Amino acid sequence: MAPGGAGDTPEVALSGPSMTSRKSVTGGGKRDEELILPINSSLSVTLSQDQLKTTTTAAISTDFTEDRIWLNGREEDVGQPRLQACLREIRRLARKRRGAGDGDSPPLSLSYKVHVASVNNFPTAAGLASSAAGYACLAYALARVYRVEGDLSEVARRGSGSACRSLYGGFVEWQMGEQADGKDSIARQLAPEGHWPQLRVLVLVVSAERKPTGSTVGMQTSVETSALLKFRAESVVPARMREMARCIQDRDFQRFAQLTMKDSNQFHATCLDTFPPISYLNDTSRRIIQLVHAFNAYCGQTKVAYTFDAGPNAVVFTLEDTVAEFVAAVKHSFPPAANGDRFLKGLPVTPVPLSDELKAALAGDPTPGGVQYVIVTQVGPGPQVLDDPHAHLLGSDGLPKQAS
């Protein structure tokens, strides 16, 4: 990162936490939509950046005439309220630090405009937590550029509630807090990424299309109309949070898996209890649920678990020694349409034959092309600074390199 003197363009590219709203205990709605304060605590797992990541570059300069932002190569409206909330908060913190008289840093004019470029290597706005990864990466990048230190939970949360969890690796809790100003609504790491090395995560991409109902709009409607959501937040989630934390600490996969599936099911039940009802799952999503339960029944124990966020794509938790057999079951149930050589991405998987007994146990006829591809990954760290200039997304002129 370059010095922040006049005319300089300090920039930092970050390989952000890949996807972090793969909730073992799924979050609920918001009690304050402006401050993005939740009605209950929640828990998530940060995935490895080797397979899934958001990369963000931020730069400030006297040459820039306005704030600008590009997402996946396309310029977006910088006036979006949540984006503006992040910018205001990071600049407020920078003014506060400058006012404290930090003599260790060269002067940095807060009147400089900022350019931001961000790229996801996984489907955006498809229920795979792209906003959580993106806003966590944005908050971290802006903090480096404006030399803001300390907990960035509030900055990231103002963009996307789940983003505060994405600032940490491993297993992370977003504490709902009680204060009206949200100062105690922060994230904390329950266990680091290396805590459970055998745990694997499979992302079954059913559709890369944008979901018709955004998670923010959908959950706010649920808060307003779903009695089940209120009951869930007050009477179910607190106990599940404690139990899930225990399962993670003890690496108790069977209980972890069962809680994950039950909570996913209940989250989508609140969506149906919303008025008008919201349905994020499609026929393939429900077929995946059947497949998981059939696989577990055949094994005689819970060896895989699904969870769905606000979209049709499934995230499956399992242990390393089960990956190959379950992948074979997925390929049997959802034969690749035309991309057999690209059906599996991420961590390598050694092919294994599927037994005739397991084939018979898998319910329903195969659905060719139902799953577009599978990404095999694992638990990963929080944001990482990319020092290689070639990884930066903005050129010396402050514009995206591909558009320069």
Side-chain angles (χ1 to χ4, degrees):
M1 186 166 66
D8 289 329
T9 57
E11 65 179 346
V12 55
L14 294 144
S15 175
S18 54
M19 305 188 312
T20 54
S21 67
R22 300 283 59 81
K23 306 178 189 68
S24 300
V25 176
T26 308
K30 310 294 188 300
R31 70 178 189 270
D32 186 309
E33 192 60 34
E34 182 179 352
L35 295 177
I36 320 295
L37 303 179
I39 63 173
N40 58 259
S41 299
S42 57
L43 190 148
S44 67
V45 181
T46 302
L47 303 185
S48 173
Q49 297 163 20
D50 291 338
Q51 288 78 45
L52 303 108
K53 65 184 177 183
T54 293
T55 302
T56 298
T57 301
I60 58 175
S61 172
T62 53
D63 296 332
F64 299 162
T65 59
E66 59 182 343
D67 294 332
R68 300 177 71 182
I69 186 168
W70 293 264
L71 176 60
N72 295 326
R74 176 180 175 181
E75 188 163 10
E76 300 287 337
D77 179 14
V78 76
Q80 298 173 53
R82 291 195 172 191
L83 177 59
Q84 284 297 313
C86 283
L87 285 171
R88 284 195 303 271
E89 183 63 17
I90 206 77
R91 284 166 170 162
R92 182 188 70 80
L93 293 172
R95 283 194 298 271
K96 182 178 179 181
R97 184 185 180 197
R98 186 173 180 181
D102 186 347
D104 295 332
S105 300
L108 176 67
S109 174
L110 293 173
S111 65
Y112 292 177
K113 300 300 182 181
V114 64
H115 284 190
V116 178
S118 188
V119 172
N120 299 321
N121 74 342
F122 58 93
T124 301
L128 290 175
S130 58
S131 60
Y135 274 107
C137 211
L138 174 66
Y140 199 85
L142 290 175
R144 296 290 297 233
V145 168
Y146 285 103
R147 300 186 179 93
V148 170
E149 299 176 349
D151 186 6
L152 298 174
S153 284
E154 187 165 3
V155 179
R157 195 193 70 224
R158 295 295 295 271
S160 171
S162 301
C164 67
R165 293 191 307 250
S166 306
L167 290 167
Y168 299 89
F171 303 84
V172 189
E173 176 188 9
W174 177 12
Q175 299 174 329
M176 62 176 290
E178 297 178 355
Q179 298 177 17
D181 61 4
K183 297 299 182 183
D184 59 345
S185 183
I186 58 175
R188 71 180 185 97
Q189 187 184 67
L190 291 180
E193 59 265 28
H195 171 71
W196 202 344
Q198 299 84 10
L199 191 65
R200 294 292 181 268
V201 185
L202 281 63
V203 181
L204 277 57
V205 178
V206 172
S207 172
E209 299 298 320
R210 286 179 174 263
K211 56 202 176 193
T213 303
S215 54
T216 298
V217 173
M219 289 310 300
Q220 191 57 32
T221 305
S222 296
V223 168
E224 295 168 356
T225 65
S226 173
L228 177 57
L229 181 65
K230 185 175 186 297
F231 172 80
R232 165 180 158 78
E234 294 176 354
S235 303
V236 179
V237 170
R240 278 190 178 165
M241 286 290 295
R242 293 189 294 271
E243 178 68 2
M244 184 60 77
R246 184 201 65 77
C247 291
I248 290 169
Q249 293 299 333
D250 295 346
R251 293 185 283 272
D252 180 350
F253 181 80
Q254 289 210 50
R255 185 60 181 153
F256 169 89
Q258 291 166 9
L259 279 175
T260 296
M261 291 187 285
K262 288 180 178 180
D263 204 77
S264 176
N265 294 343
Q266 191 177 78
F267 163 67
H268 288 280
T270 66
C271 293
L272 291 177
D273 188 51
T274 299
F275 192 82
I278 302 169
S279 181
Y280 289 115
L281 307 183
N282 62 20
D283 289 343
T284 301
S285 308
R286 288 182 280 272
R287 178 75 176 86
I288 291 170
I289 291 173
Q290 294 173 354
L291 170 64
V292 167
H293 285 294
F295 186 90
N296 287 335
Y298 170 81
C299 295
Q301 58 180 308
T302 304
K303 301 192 75 170
V304 291
Y306 56 79
T307 182
F308 294 83
D309 206 335
N313 302 302
V315 173
V316 173
F317 290 101
T318 189
L319 297 180
E320 184 178 14
D321 59 6
T322 306
V323 170
E325 188 176 29
F326 184 72
V327 164
V330 172
K331 294 187 74 170
H332 170 78
S333 298
F334 304 99
N339 65 332
D341 59 333
R342 301 185 305 278
F343 185 70
L344 278 182
K345 303 181 180 184
L347 296 175
V349 178
T350 302
V352 298
L354 202 64
S355 69
D356 291 337
E357 292 80 7
L358 180 51
K359 288 181 182 178
L362 298 178
D365 296 326
T367 307
V371 172
Q372 295 184 14
Y373 56 92
V374 177
I375 306 170
V376 183
T377 185
Q378 57 192 341
V379 184
Q384 307 290 304
V385 176
L386 301 177
D387 295 320
D388 182 3
H390 294 95
H392 294 183
L393 303 177
L394 296 173
S396 58
D397 57 359
L399 298 176
K401 287 182 177 178
Q402 64 269 28
S404 321

